[in-house]
C-alpha cells in the first residue's frame, strides 16, 4: 500500500519513518522537491511532486501547517475519492490557542477545500517525537483519535494507525474535529507551556 505524505517536517517525516519501518511504501512531497528528496532519503521513503505522490497513493496524509493547507491541496491536484488524513491543529502563530473552532474545525474546512476527498481527522493529538520514540508509554499505548464521515475511509485510517503501533479510538463524524482540535491544543499546552514534554499523549480510559 502506498502512502503519500504532503509536508516533510516533524510530523511528515516522523509518520513516514514509522510507516516505512512497518512496511509501507511512502512518498514524501512538498513545495520543494529537492528538500523532499533529502527528507525522504533520511527515512527510507521516495520523493515526488505532490500531484505525483497523490496519484499513486491509497492514503494521503496532509502534514503541513493548517495555514498552508489550501495551497498544499491545490498542488496536490485531483483528490477525488482519496482518503485524506488531516493531522492539523489550527494554531495561532504564538501557540496560545486555535484560530478556529466551535462552529467549524480545520478538519471540516479542509474537507471543503479537498473536493471529493474522504477526509479523516487523525493523529492531531500525537506529538511528532512519539513516531520515532514509539507509541508505548508508561500506562499504555498512545491512542489515535479518528473522526470522519466515510466509514470505509475511517477503517483504512484505523488500520494504518494500528499498523504503526498505536491504539485507536473512533471519535465519530468529522464534526467532532471541533473537539479533537482543542484536545490537541490542550496536549500542546501541557507539553510545552506547562513543561510536560512531548513524550506524553492524551488517552481515554474505561473500566472494562
Ligand atoms: N509537531 C507536532 O508534534 C504535531 C503534533 C500533532 C499535529 N501536528 C500538526 O501537523 C502539521 C505539521 O506540523 P509539523 O510540526 O510537522 O510542522 P513543520 O515541521 O513546520 O513542517 C511543516 C511542513 O509543511 C510544509 N509546507 C508548508 N507550506 C507548504 C505548502 N504550501 N505546500 C506544501 N508543503 C508546505 C513545510 O515545507 P517547507 O520546508 O517548504 O516550509 C514542512 O515540510 C501541522 O498542521 C500541525 O498542527 C503537529
Amino acid at each position: 500500500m502506498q502512502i503519500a505524505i504532503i509536508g516533510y517536517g516533524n510530523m511528515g517525516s516522523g509518520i513516514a519513518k514509522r510507516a516505512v519501518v512497518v512496511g509501507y511504501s511512502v512518498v514524501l512531497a512538498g513545495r520543494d522537491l529537492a528538500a523532499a528528496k533529502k527528507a525522504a532519503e533520511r527515512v527510507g521513503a521516495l520523493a515526488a511532486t505532490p500531484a505525483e505522490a497523490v496519484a499513486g497513493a491509497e492514503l494521503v496524509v496532509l502534514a503541513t501547517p493548517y495555514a498552508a493547507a489550501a495551497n498544499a491541496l491545490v498542488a496536490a491536484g485531483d483528490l477525488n475519492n482519496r482518503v485524506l488524513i488531516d493531522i492539523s491543529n489550527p494554531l495561532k502563530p504564538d501557540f496560545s490557542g486555535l484560530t478556529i473552532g466551535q462552529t467549524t474545525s480545520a478538519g471540516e474546512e479542509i474537507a471543503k477545500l479537498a473536493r471529493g476527498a474522504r477526509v479523516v481527522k487523525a493523529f492531531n493529538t500525537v506529538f511528532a517525537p512519539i513516531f520515532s520514540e514509539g507509541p508505548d508509554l508508561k500506562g499504555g499505548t498512545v491512542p489515535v483519535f479518528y473522526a470522519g464521515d466515510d466509514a470505509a475511509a475511517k477503517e483504512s485510517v484505523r488500520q494504518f494507525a494500528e499498523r504503526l503501533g498505536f491504539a485507536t479510538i473512533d471519535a465519530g463524524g468529522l464534526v467532532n474535529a471541533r473537539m479533537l482540535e482543542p484536545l490537541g491544543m490542550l496536549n500542546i499546552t501541557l507539553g510545552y507551556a506547562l513543561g510536560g514534554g512531548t513524550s506524553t499523549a492524551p488517552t481515554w480510559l474505561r473500566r472494562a
Side-chain angles (χ1 to χ4, degrees), residues 4 146 156 196:
Y146 62 104
S156 297

Side-chain angles (χ1 to χ4, degrees), residues 6-12 30-32 63-66 68 71-72 87-89 91 123-129:
I6 303 171
Y8 37 74
N10 294 314
M11 284 295 275
R31 55 184 168 181
D32 179 343
T64 69
Y66 173 63
N71 285 340
I87 67 169
S88 70
N89 290 305
L91 299 176
F123 295 104
N124 72 300
T125 61
V126 180
F127 279 129

